[in-house]
Amino acid sequence: MGLIVQKFGGTSVGSVERIMNVAERVKDETILGNQVVVVVSAMGKSTDQLVKLAKEISPQPSKREMDMLLTTGEQVSIALLSMALNQKGLEAVSFTGWQAGIVTEPVHGNARITDVRTEAIESQLSHRKVVIVAGFQGITESGEITTLGRGGSDTTAVALAAALKADRCDIYTDVTGVYTTDPRYIKGARQLKSISYDEMLELANLGAGVLHPRAVEFAKNYQVRLEVRSSMEKIEGTIIEEEATMEQNLVVRGVAFEDQITKVTVLGLANSLTSLSTIFTTLAQHHINVDIIIQSTTEAGAANLSFSIKTEDLMETLKVLEDHKELLGYEQIDAENQLSKVSIVGSGMISNPGVAARMFEVLASNQIQVKMVSTSEIKVSAVIEEENMLKAVQALHNAFELSSVTE
Amino acid sequence: MGLIVQKFGGTSVGSVERIMNVAERVKDETILGNQVVVVVSAMGKSTDQLVKLAKEISPQPSKREMDMLLTTGEQVSIALLSMALNQKGLEAVSFTGWQAGIVTEPVHGNARITDVRTEAIESQLSHRKVVIVAGFQGITESGEITTLGRGGSDTTAVALAAALKADRCDIYTDVTGVYTTDPRYIKGARQLKSISYDEMLELANLGAGVLHPRAVEFAKNYQVRLEVRSSMEKIEGTIIEEEATMEQNLVVRGVAFEDQITKVTVLGLANSLTSLSTIFTTLAQHHINVDIIIQSTTEAGAANLSFSIKTEDLMETLKVLEDHKELLGYEQIDAENQLSKVSIVGSGMISNPGVAARMFEVLASNQIQVKMVSTSEIKVSAVIEEENMLKAVQALHNAFELSSVTE
């Protein structure tokens, strides 16, 4: 008999019918003799509706009160799922984040989990009950209700799996698993049987939105065996686990892509030593995520700096740079938008030199110009024009033989 | 500077606009220099919607999970009201029932408050914040979320006022105060300046639904000065307080009435000694409220028993009696419906004999037949035909000069 943590997102509990379907999935595991802890998100669009209500009252509602407001969404889901399980003949008990012992740092809107006190859950499991936990929420040591920010329910599930030493953490989604690339756009995209935490992390960060990177990182740190599965179809998903247990014959395991990228270039920075940190500190304070950064020095000793951002942050970025022009002492700013980022990911790259070269070769042979490059041990990213994005992804997917190679 | 507890019901917080109006009412008190604790119910019909969702999943959802589900309603209200107060420039902090220290017995759906731990609220008040508390909900010693049942938010407000030793507990409703009788139906109905706890208790129990009897009883036990006020109009309400401070010149203070009453008669009960307790214990187990009870013994030694119930409970009552026929050993059951109950209430009755006689005289002179009678020290109730109800109330209101006498 094992202990399984299951996580179901907002779409999976979006209606009474779907909640009954989730109950069926939970029952499947109990029939196999497993103990089950279920983590659920708020129903479908209910969070959006609550946000809308709040915005009608205040353009910038207090973060504490937003947490108070939004955490009701998951509380509704856990109660309804518990009723659905009872209806299917299972004994179940629902817990809010604080009842489940999810302790977080004292931050509203985006708190990190600092502790999981599992006594209450373990006591209910020992009474052979299914335990349902509200995702996305926790409590501070002083009793304040907090939320975990984006991907919060994934993080709740992984944290619980780690604390309870669960045998598996199943993340149920509206896709059937992790793919070599997005099957909606790319021919030959294929579901992976398994993938390492690091590879998943790169894919997750690159916008393959199946699993939140925070949850993957948590799983990696605590060696939680994750499985991404479909909440609708009863088929095998993708297992995310430590490298060692997997075959290594695939150098590249997936191709990720993201559009709506803008490259900002700051020309003639007077003193690059302090201006660099000033620029990025200031942008971070304005919650602007900077991705790739390239710096070059001119003959005159000034520096040119380029960095990529999401296009939606462009106006804010320009305003921040403008506001600090005197401090930064640059000459000019250029912005190039309608760009995209294409990345190949695979832990095999570490031991395979020439993978990046092969990528550039493929792009060049397709007449695609590379604007920026960024590499990690298991990833190469290239910023290219948006109009070439899908062509590039398809060419890379073909070139690295992702559709045919067996794992 | 005083401490005021304000309570706003579901209608008062039923929309964004109304929540802003409530915030205005709260602000009024702070401008007077008062500390304010606000208790709110769930928005308008939101509780009904949650109940509907639950019923779609399970015809008889677990009471624990219903509490988990329904308590989200007030949590939404407190967050939104807190945002609205911020928007009006007030510092505010919202608390769920458990955060506010509302401790209840371990019963779901209808728990009684056993303790109020005010440290958290007092700490926030000392920081000059308005404290907003979710009504209707509490927590057991073991951390289970409970609800207080009907009138729960009124009870929360009174319990907090008692525990915090508040100067006043203002119950904001959609009426302007407590009336001598229902002004929608009876000419000359007049708002009372003040009324005693006992009188209010009788009126509350008799269906003058301004305030829940449980809350009035709580207020009486802890000597909390209540005021019933309009959430819409800025006018004086009705104060509910101890007898001594009030004038006593009014013998009868109000006329209450209730339709949809049925009189059930059980004929030929063999052994009245045990059958009486058996009947009422069994009915209570089925949550059927019995109001007036009349018993008479026949010459043969058998007993005839009559009692009044709400007509909606008739089918269930007949079924229960039928199921226990052998045990009870009666001969026959009669039921007479389309009845109503009319009651006069006033603490002056204790020292004024003949008030009941005057009531029967008024009813008789209007050709109204009395089917059952029940009296307490400050109340006389008569069960009459439903079609005569309003005629009887108007006649009694006139006869006891309730519209003209000054308080």
Side-chain angles (χ1 to χ4, degrees), chain B residues 12-218:
Chain B
S12 304
V13 294
S15 66
V16 164
E17 197 192 341
R18 289 190 172 188
I19 289 172
M20 293 311 282
N21 174 59
V22 167
E24 205 51 52
R25 284 283 177 286
V26 176
K27 194 172 181 179
D28 290 345
E29 286 298 347
T30 63
I31 286 169
L32 295 176
N34 289 316
Q35 291 184 308
V36 186
V37 174
V38 192
V39 175
V40 284
S41 305
M43 289 175 76
K45 298 285 166 207
S46 65
T47 302
D48 294 347
Q49 284 162 9
L50 290 172
V51 170
K52 187 166 163 281
L53 260 181
K55 296 280 179 186
E56 282 176 35
I57 285 177
S58 170
Q60 269 205 309
S62 131
K63 283 190 177 181
R64 178 193 187 274
E65 300 301 338
M66 278 307 282
D67 282 356
M68 181 65 84
L69 182 68
L70 296 184
T71 49
T72 61
E74 291 80 31
Q75 194 172 326
V76 168
S77 299
I78 57 172
L80 294 177
L81 179 56
S82 187
M83 293 172 190
L85 287 169
N86 290 339
Q87 197 58 19
K88 292 206 180 277
L90 294 181
E91 279 204 85
V93 60
S94 69
F95 282 148
T96 62
W98 61 268
Q99 287 178 322
I102 309 284
V103 182
T104 75
E105 56 182 353
V107 166
H108 287 290
N110 197 23
R112 275 172 304 194
I113 295 174
T114 53
D115 196 8
V116 182
R117 300 184 184 146
T118 54
E119 299 80 12
I121 293 179
E122 278 170 347
S123 159
Q124 294 294 338
L125 287 176
S126 75
H127 288 92
R128 313 200 56 74
K129 289 194 182 167
V130 174
V131 178
I132 304 157
V133 177
F136 177 69
Q137 58 183 248
I139 189 170
T140 69
E141 292 287 357
S142 66
E144 289 282 291
I145 294 173
T146 52
T147 61
L148 311 181
R150 287 190 139 250
S153 291
D154 288 350
T155 309
T156 302
V158 174
L160 282 173
L164 293 165
K165 300 185 176 41
D167 296 283
R168 217 171 60 223
C169 180
D170 293 345
I171 308 287
Y172 285 85
T173 69
D174 46 5
V175 297
T176 56
V178 180
Y179 278 70
T180 52
T181 191
D182 192 329
R184 287 173 301 178
Y185 303 107
I186 306 299
K187 264 187 299 190
R190 189 175 47 83
Q191 187 178 316
L192 294 161
K193 262 205 163 66
S194 65
I195 188 170
S196 74
Y197 296 116
D198 286 335
E199 288 171 331
M200 189 64 215
L201 258 180
E202 291 290 0
L203 288 173
N205 274 318
L206 294 168
V210 182
L211 248 177
H212 198 270
R214 242 172 99 182
V216 180
E217 205 157 336
F218 210 116

Side-chain angles (χ1 to χ4, degrees), chain A residues 330-349:
Chain A
Y330 57 83
E331 283 161 18
Q332 194 189 326
I333 298 174
D334 284 346
E336 182 178 6
N337 58 10
Q338 297 194 305
L339 299 179
S340 67
K341 186 171 71 164
V342 172
S343 311
I344 54 172
V345 174
S347 32
M349 282 185 205

Side-chain angles (χ1 to χ4, degrees), chain A residues 60-176:
Chain A
Q60 269 205 309
S62 130
K63 283 189 175 182
R64 179 193 187 274
E65 300 303 337
M66 278 307 281
D67 282 356
M68 181 66 83
L69 182 68
L70 296 184
T71 49
T72 62
E74 291 80 30
Q75 194 172 327
V76 168
S77 299
I78 58 172
L80 294 177
L81 180 56
S82 187
M83 293 172 190
L85 287 169
N86 290 339
Q87 196 59 17
K88 293 205 179 279
L90 294 181
E91 281 205 82
V93 60
S94 69
F95 282 148
T96 61
W98 61 267
Q99 288 179 320
I102 309 284
V103 182
T104 76
E105 56 182 353
V107 167
H108 286 291
N110 197 23
R112 275 171 304 191
I113 295 174
T114 53
D115 196 8
V116 181
R117 299 183 184 147
T118 54
E119 300 79 12
I121 293 179
E122 279 170 346
S123 158
Q124 294 293 338
L125 288 175
S126 74
H127 288 93
R128 312 200 57 74
K129 288 194 183 167
V130 173
V131 178
I132 304 158
V133 177
F136 177 69
Q137 56 183 249
I139 189 171
T140 68
E141 293 287 357
S142 66
E144 290 281 291
I145 294 173
T146 52
T147 62
L148 311 180
R150 287 191 139 247
S153 290
D154 288 351
T155 308
T156 302
V158 175
L160 282 173
L164 293 164
K165 299 184 177 41
D167 296 282
R168 218 173 59 225
C169 180
D170 293 345
I171 308 286
Y172 285 84
T173 69
D174 46 5
V175 297
T176 56

